[in-house]
Structure formats: C-alpha cells, structure tokens
Amino acid sequence: MAKEDKNQENIAPNAVDASSKIDAIKQLIFGENMQAYDSEFETLKQDILKKKEELEQLIDEVKTELLQNIDNLSTDVNIRITELEASLEEKTDALDEKKVDRKLLGELFTKLGEKISQ
C-alpha cells in the first residue's frame, strides 16, 4: 500500500507540472498574441450565439406560420367537403325525383284505386 500512495503522490505533481509546461509552451509559441486570440475567439463565440438565437427565433416563427397555414387549410378542406356533401345530396334528391315522379305516381295510384272501386 505504501507503494500505491507514493505512485499517487508522484502522479499529482506530474499532472500539475505537465499543465504548467503546456502553459509555458503556449506562452512561448503565442506570446503576446494570446490575449488577442482569446478576444477574437470570444467575439466569434458571441457572434455564433447571436446567430443561433436569431435562427431559433426564425424557426419558431416559421413553425407558427406553418401551423397556422395547416389550420387554415384544414378549415378550408372541411368547408369544401361539407359543400360537396350538400351538393351531392341535392343531386341525389333531384335524381330520385326524376326517376320516380312521386306526385305523378301518387295521382296514378289514386286513379287506379278509383277505377278498381267502380
């Protein structure tokens, strides 16, 4: 167990040491420009977030408009279906009247009944 504790102690300083070495290398490579790069990256990040919000708003607007158009279309289709049903019913009734003129048939039955009773 003593070996494991020593290994863990060695790992922690090595991790901190490696991190500081990386920071030192960054400083050597980028130097004074590092702050400029950070500033540019922050500006780009803010611009991307702004564009993302604009796109989300646009998507919400389009979604709302599409839902409204679908609702309007559904209402229009229902109205047209109702009109077609009414028209079909009128034509069916007219066709029934043409096939069998009920008044004429009633009169004929009345006359037939009178002739039979004579």
Side-chain angles (χ1 to χ4, degrees):
M1 285 214 196
K3 280 187 175 182
E4 289 179 18
D5 291 339
K6 287 182 181 179
N7 286 339
Q8 288 178 353
E9 289 174 5
N10 288 336
I11 292 173
N14 286 341
V16 173
D17 191 35
S19 177
S20 64
K21 286 181 182 179
I22 291 174
D23 289 338
I25 292 171
K26 281 186 200 176
Q27 188 64 28
L28 286 174
I29 294 173
F30 298 110
E32 295 174 7
N33 294 333
M34 191 65 153
Q35 288 180 349
Y37 293 142
D38 286 342
S39 175
E40 287 181 38
F41 283 129
E42 188 61 32
T43 303
L44 287 173
K45 182 179 176 183
Q46 294 302 322
D47 189 40
I48 289 171
L49 289 175
K50 182 180 174 186
K51 298 292 183 191
K52 179 184 174 190
E53 288 176 10
E54 290 175 5
L55 284 174
E56 287 174 348
Q57 288 176 353
L58 183 62
I59 288 170
D60 287 341
E61 289 174 11
V62 169
K63 181 180 176 181
T64 303
E65 188 176 333
L66 281 174
L67 290 174
Q68 185 177 6
N69 286 341
I70 288 171
D71 188 43
N72 290 342
L73 183 62
S74 176
T75 303
D76 187 42
V77 167
N78 285 337
I79 290 171
R80 289 179 186 220
I81 287 173
T82 303
E83 290 173 354
L84 285 172
E85 287 174 343
S87 175
L88 183 61
E89 191 172 326
E90 287 175 16
K91 288 183 180 184
T92 303
D93 289 344
L95 186 60
D96 285 344
E97 287 292 324
K98 282 184 181 179
K99 276 187 155 181
V100 178
D101 189 4
R102 292 180 183 182
K103 276 187 176 181
L104 180 61
L105 187 60
E107 289 174 8
L108 289 174
F109 280 140
T110 305
K111 287 181 185 177
L112 183 61
E114 288 174 359
K115 285 185 180 180
I116 291 176
S117 63
Q118 291 176 1

